[in-house]
Amino acid sequence: MLSVAFPHLASVMVERVLVDDSGVALTARTATREAACPRCGTRSGRVHGGYRRRLADLAVAGRKVVIDLAVRRFVCQAAPCERRTFVEQIDGLTERFARRTPALRRTLERIAMALAGRPAARLAAHLSVPVSANSLIRMVRRLPAKQSSVAPRVMGVHDFAFKKGHVYGTIIVDMETGERVDVLPDRTSGTLTAWLRAHPGAEIVCRDRASAYAEAVRTVCPDATQVADRYHLWKNLCEAVEKCVAQHRTCLAEDTSTDSPAAVKAWPCTTSTT
């Protein structure tokens, strides 16, 4: 059963399994006699000491899983190596300074990429792998950036605030997949123009109403179709309605009758709507 539910524990010795209402607790220890130094690669069997690590793992049958693992610290015996001691790492089970197994970390990264902070944290708690929204955001920030030499076919260009009211940047998104493509340090036309020259291929550009973005796209991608995003379509509509109502405000007069003091009656409007 352990080999099926916990294949990543095949290289360690499981000493005890405790199951209760709070979850599943496994006590294990490493079985290796030597380990390779992460700095120079020299293998050493000289033990310097050891300690216990608590690792959160994927839930089993809706129960939270914690692994209490005893690991050892070895002495690097290579004279030129600057690292005197190092802790053994178990493939598929431990990572440096990590409190979660690689399998759990990858699962939480996928959840965070799909749902972002608070919604992802709520789903993780429902899956019996509780984690804070801030921890999920830090996981996303640690993911390696994907480098691409071409722009997405349908590209989204939007500004965002590094520090609201003071420092703004530009985020470029693949609108077909929802993935972030790149982040630019400002929201000027020159910066976006340089990026578009280095990343050709955009056919449709979904952007906000910034004239700098429009100028950059017209300069580098004159054949690309520029469209407004959904938010700014609604914003344009709301502003148009508000402007129209403001122009015809004088067409409305308050009813001064004593029967309905709060009523408002409409008078014939003579203002041109053109």
Side-chain angles (χ1 to χ4, degrees):
M1 177 181 175
L2 287 176
S3 62
V4 175
F6 304 96
H8 47 291
L9 295 179
S11 57
V12 300
M13 299 182 62
V14 178
E15 299 176 336
R16 187 178 63 174
V17 178
L18 179 62
V19 181
D20 55 22
D21 295 337
S22 62
V24 180
L26 295 94
T27 303
R29 61 183 177 86
T30 58
T32 56
R33 294 186 177 181
E34 60 180 14
C37 175
R39 177 66 65 85
C40 64
T42 303
R43 300 195 67 83
S44 174
R46 182 180 172 186
V47 178
H48 180 270
Y51 63 95
R52 307 197 72 88
R53 299 181 61 175
R54 287 180 58 85
L55 303 169
D57 198 8
L58 291 170
V60 174
R63 296 176 182 269
K64 184 174 65 175
V65 177
V66 177
I67 302 173
D68 188 345
L69 178 66
V71 296
R72 291 171 294 176
R73 183 180 292 276
F74 290 88
V75 176
C76 182
Q77 296 177 303
C81 184
E82 298 178 356
R83 190 162 190 165
R84 304 315 308 158
T85 64
F86 61 92
V87 177
E88 60 183 337
Q89 302 295 337
I90 310 301
D91 292 339
L93 183 60
T94 64
E95 294 174 327
R96 290 192 65 193
F97 308 116
R99 297 183 179 181
R100 303 179 182 91
T101 62
L104 177 58
R105 173 184 55 79
R106 290 191 294 267
T107 299
L108 293 176
E109 288 173 350
R110 294 188 185 101
I111 294 175
M113 289 293 293
L115 299 176
R118 293 180 181 176
R122 290 193 292 268
L123 177 59
H126 180 72
L127 297 176
S128 300
V129 283
V131 62
S132 69
N134 289 334
S135 295
L136 291 169
I137 293 174
R138 285 194 294 269
M139 288 183 184
V140 173
R141 288 177 175 173
R142 284 197 294 264
L143 290 174
K146 295 181 179 180
Q147 300 296 331
S148 177
S149 59
V150 296
R153 189 184 72 88
V154 184
M155 184 178 73
V157 182
H158 306 274
D159 64 347
F160 74 100
F162 288 111
K163 184 178 181 182
K164 190 172 183 179
H166 297 275
V167 183
Y168 287 84
T170 300
I171 184 169
I172 299 175
V173 181
D174 187 335
M175 300 301 292
E176 295 181 305
T177 63
E179 294 184 355
R180 174 183 59 82
V181 177
D182 206 345
V183 175
L184 307 183
D186 54 45
R187 53 180 179 179
T188 62
S189 175
T191 301
L192 182 58
T193 298
W195 191 93
L196 290 172
R197 293 188 188 280
H199 303 79
E203 299 178 9
I204 302 174
V205 179
C206 179
R207 61 173 181 82
D208 59 21
R209 301 182 299 177
S211 59
Y213 295 154
E215 179 184 352
V217 175
R218 284 195 302 266
T219 301
V220 184
C221 310
D223 297 330
T225 302
Q226 299 189 46
V227 298
D229 57 30
R230 180 169 53 186
Y231 168 79
H232 286 92
L233 284 175
W234 280 106
K235 186 174 179 62
N236 291 345
L237 176 60
C238 292
E239 290 182 354
V241 172
E242 183 179 1
K243 182 179 180 181
C244 180
V245 172
Q247 289 178 344
H248 296 275
R249 181 66 181 86
T250 57
C251 299
L252 299 176
E254 295 184 0
D255 189 356
T256 58
S257 62
T258 58
D259 296 336
S260 55
V264 176
K265 63 181 181 180
W267 294 92
C269 179
T270 59
T271 305
S272 174
T273 59
T274 58

